[in-house]
Amino acid sequence: MEFAAQRQALVAHLRTAQDVSEPVAEAMLAVPRHLFVPGVEPEAAYRDEPIVTKRDAEGRPISSSSQPAIMATMLGQLGVEPGHRVLEIGAGTGYNAALLAHLAGPGGRVVALDIDEDTVEQARRHLAAAGVTGVEVLCRDGAGGHPALAPYDRLIATVGVWDLAPAWLAQLGPGGRLVAPLDLRGVQVSAAMERDGERWVSRSVAPCGFMRMRGSLTGTETLEVLRRDPELLLMLPEAREVGDVPAALDAAPTEITVRREEAAPPFTVAMGVALWLALHEPRWCVVSGDLGGGPGLTPGIVQPDGIAVLAAQGSLVARGHGAGGARLAAELAAHVRAWDAAGRPEASALRIEAYPGDPASRRKAGGPATGGTAGGQGGRDATPAGEPERGAVTSGAVTSGTVVIGKRHTTLVVGFG
């Protein structure tokens, strides 16, 4: 089979870095990824890297073929079995739908939804070129799901979702499972959720990063293009004034060393600190691109007078830029030390409960609601019931307490352990 050796090398690489289930490995060995990214050299198609396939008018990426590592993780969380009916939110290139079709095997069926007609047509062409059957690709806002073929055994979103759409929960059958890159104040985690009475509870959680969902389920996150070549993006959990970030980054930095020898991989450190900041620091941000240590995601704190970012290469450093850079670097270093002292909690240790219904209505009924403050936890203000993304830590330290986050359609209760 054409480029079979490259697929074998990719799967071998993934298996050295993470757990990959046998069914997922077989699917990735069988489905030719290069046919789903025809403008990319075949050798490049089998690297463990995401491939951007579409940008908007301002240069922001809006569609891609996801990194194979996170695809393998999410497919493992999803647990598709032969004969399953699967709904995918975000068709993209069609590659993930092809993997789902292989996993669902004879008798299964996959429906993939995408909001852009050109993306849908492209996915259809790719699936046909690869000889994949059992997949239907439709153009529509994924927030509404596809009730005509409900109930589904599994539902997966391959775009970052700010909230869980009521239609998704309604269209999953008994014993159904949902896997989605769920937003937690700007940090995404791949959460595998199952129904537990009236609520949905996570069965596994993994770090991830996806382009955000567009349409009626669009969230509060913002993405600003700081530079185009080389690409540099600023991601915020909600729109706010941040000043001239490119000019600040051009200024000589102030550096504070948090730890002189850092053994953990930079990505692991970055994701752990980003999650900590999201739960503690209302001014937090993520810079995506190359800040001098290679491409990647870099968490930090940004204000109109400057920005501080984390560098984790050999040593762990808080690097401040701009007029307020020194102050922000000191504050970022303090957060990193607190995360370190707490045992470096990671996304995999999270437990997420989702309570469907309007947050204000749930509060009246005595259910979880946003509001309140906790001393030393970032100084968040009290929150009006139902206001999105303004919930606060409600008890204890982050490793023992919980965070209540009010969304439009659900209330999330998030904690470690």
Side-chain angles (χ1 to χ4, degrees), residues 87-309:
L87 179 63
E88 181 186 35
I89 310 300
T93 65
Y95 177 57
N96 197 67
L99 296 173
L100 291 169
H102 189 279
L103 291 166
R109 189 166 182 180
V110 177
V111 180
L113 310 180
D114 205 283
I115 198 169
D116 293 331
E117 183 63 47
D118 59 340
T119 300
V120 167
E121 292 298 331
Q122 183 182 64
R124 289 171 178 166
R125 290 196 302 270
H126 296 163
L127 289 161
V132 176
T133 59
V135 178
E136 183 178 8
V137 187
L138 302 173
C139 183
R140 61 194 55 193
D141 186 338
H146 186 53
L149 291 179
Y152 298 94
D153 300 288
R154 298 288 188 267
L155 186 151
I156 183 170
T158 54
V159 290
V161 304
W162 188 78
D163 199 0
L164 300 179
W168 302 349
L169 307 184
Q171 290 171 27
L172 275 167
R177 183 182 302 163
L178 176 152
V179 174
L182 183 60
D183 176 89
L184 303 178
R185 294 198 180 115
V187 167
Q188 290 180 10
V189 295
S190 176
M193 310 286 290
E194 292 183 356
R195 190 181 280 109
D196 183 1
E198 294 185 358
R199 64 180 180 172
W200 289 73
V201 177
S202 62
R203 301 307 182 195
S204 64
V205 179
C208 70
F210 278 79
M211 296 172 190
R212 308 292 178 160
M213 187 170 179
R214 293 172 288 132
S216 62
L217 210 61
T218 299
T220 62
E221 316 94 345
T222 67
L223 184 65
E224 179 181 342
V225 179
L226 301 178
R227 293 175 184 148
R228 293 187 183 274
D229 189 18
E231 184 178 78
L232 201 63
L233 306 174
L234 178 70
M235 294 178 281
L236 302 170
E238 66 279 317
R240 66 178 191 268
E241 176 58 41
V242 295
D244 191 344
V245 177
L249 289 171
D250 286 338
T254 297
E255 294 191 347
I256 298 176
T257 300
V258 181
R259 178 182 287 192
R260 296 203 173 276
E261 293 187 8
E262 178 53 59
F267 178 78
T268 301
V269 172
M271 293 304 294
V273 172
L275 180 58
W276 182 271
L277 291 174
L279 298 175
H280 291 83
E281 176 54 70
R283 303 165 297 166
W284 93 282
C285 68
V286 169
V287 177
S288 175
D290 191 346
L291 288 175
L297 299 176
T298 305
I301 303 173
V302 64
Q303 287 193 166
D305 65 345
I307 183 171
V309 294

Side-chain angles (χ1 to χ4, degrees), residues 10 42 107 291 347 362 405:
L10 173 61
L291 288 175
R362 291 207 60 85
I405 305 174

